[in-house]
Amino acid sequence: MKREARRQLFQQVDVYPVTCEELSEGRTNLEVLEAVIQGGSKIIQLREKEYPKRDLYNLALKFRRITARAGVLLMINDYVDIALAVEADGVHLGQEDLPVQVARKLAPELLIGASTHSLEQALQAEEDGADYINIGPIFSTTTKEGVGRSLGPEAISEISPQIKVPFTVMGGINEENIDQVLAQGARRVAMVSAITRAADIAKKVRSLQDKIREFSE
Ligand code: TZP
Ligand code: MG
């Protein structure tokens, strides 16, 4: 798929699930993937920080087969080479990963998402060619260590009007506090534990989508 087609599909994203097997209550990443697809998610990000790269590649191949069949966008956290190798739809890069312009040169047709923690970083990522940016962490979270100060939901309405590309928000967001990010204008919400820890993941994805859609009306 071409980048433009991928960008169009990204427009439809509301809930943005991100994997973490350790926080999946005994379920495998593949089981979590099946459940989020059942719940109607349009996207998933494969994120596993501790996996040997070969294992991550092999899992990414399986994710690609399943997401392609379901028409779900597949994003790979951190690794442009794995994203290209498995023909994922994109790569999500943090401030300590390859710079966005470098990834763009290597992967002209991939979606590139960039984690940003300030207005300055958001503007830079956009200028460097990111297709979307993430603003976070919004609330405090134990999912990621050394994540830094949480920005608070107000950061969303401060930063988002200044950027043209779509944005996601992340960090400590769950069904109880999602209204606070929606009230600040967020419509694409990335979550790890609120989804991976849910007793019924498909049902959780659906109810989170309902909340986002309620706000969009
Ligand atoms: N980047 C900023 S916060 C975060 C990442 C990867 C983790 C978010 O996880 P959760 O469980 O949704 O708080
Ligand atoms: Mg990273």
Side-chain angles (χ1 to χ4, degrees):
M1 213 189 304
K2 289 289 193 189
R3 181 174 169 211
E4 192 45 44
R6 289 172 163 150
R7 285 168 72 111
Q8 293 288 330
L9 288 175
F10 192 85
Q11 291 291 337
Q12 295 169 24
V13 168
D14 40 33
V15 171
Y16 185 151
V18 178
T19 67
C20 180
E21 198 157 63
E22 216 185 330
L23 300 180
S24 298
E25 310 287 351
R27 293 163 295 200
T28 65
N29 279 323
L30 286 169
E31 286 168 337
V32 171
L33 171 63
E34 295 288 0
V36 303
I37 290 174
Q38 234 183 37
S41 181
K42 309 278 191 323
I43 194 165
I44 186 152
Q45 183 184 130
L46 177 56
R47 178 180 185 273
E48 281 299 340
K49 294 295 195 188
E50 309 298 331
Y51 276 35
K53 218 164 157 186
R54 179 74 66 97
D55 292 352
L56 189 63
Y57 163 72
N58 284 322
L59 182 60
L61 273 179
K62 292 180 184 156
F63 264 57
R64 175 70 295 181
R65 263 179 235 129
I66 296 165
T67 52
R69 218 179 295 138
V72 167
L73 290 170
L74 173 61
M75 302 294 298
I76 305 293
N77 187 264
D78 292 344
Y79 300 115
V80 182
D81 52 356
I82 294 182
L84 285 169
V86 307
E87 298 181 16
D89 294 295
V91 63
H92 188 90
L93 300 171
Q95 295 291 322
E96 293 172 353
D97 298 315
L98 274 187
V100 171
Q101 313 103 296
V102 176
R104 175 56 69 214
K105 265 195 203 153
L106 296 171
E109 299 301 333
L110 286 187
L111 287 181
I112 298 179
S115 291
T116 68
H117 316 296
S118 64
L119 174 61
E120 200 185 357
Q121 289 177 359
L123 292 170
Q124 188 67 54
E126 179 173 77
E127 191 185 318
D128 292 344
D131 294 293
Y132 74 91
I133 62 152
N134 183 75
I135 302 170
I138 303 298
F139 301 112
S140 71
T141 177
T142 52
T143 300
K144 182 176 176 173
E145 281 170 21
V147 75
R149 177 181 67 87
S150 45
L151 302 176
E154 317 75 45
I156 300 167
S157 54
E158 287 160 19
I159 297 173
S160 65
Q162 315 231 34
I163 53 163
K164 294 176 222 73
V165 291
F167 68 95
T168 57
V169 293
M170 192 186 213
I173 303 170
N174 55 45
E175 200 165 353
E176 284 64 57
N177 62 22
I178 193 170
D179 283 6
Q180 292 178 54
V181 305
L182 297 173
Q184 298 290 330
R187 292 296 177 268
R188 298 186 178 86
V189 186
M191 285 163 280
V192 182
S193 53
I195 293 172
T196 62
R197 282 191 187 282
D200 184 335
I201 289 175
K203 194 166 150 199
K204 178 64 73 178
V205 169
R206 269 183 237 115
S207 65
L208 289 163
Q209 281 174 335
D210 287 346
K211 288 214 160 195
I212 298 173
R213 282 171 198 165
E214 250 170 58
F215 257 87
S216 312
E217 276 159 13

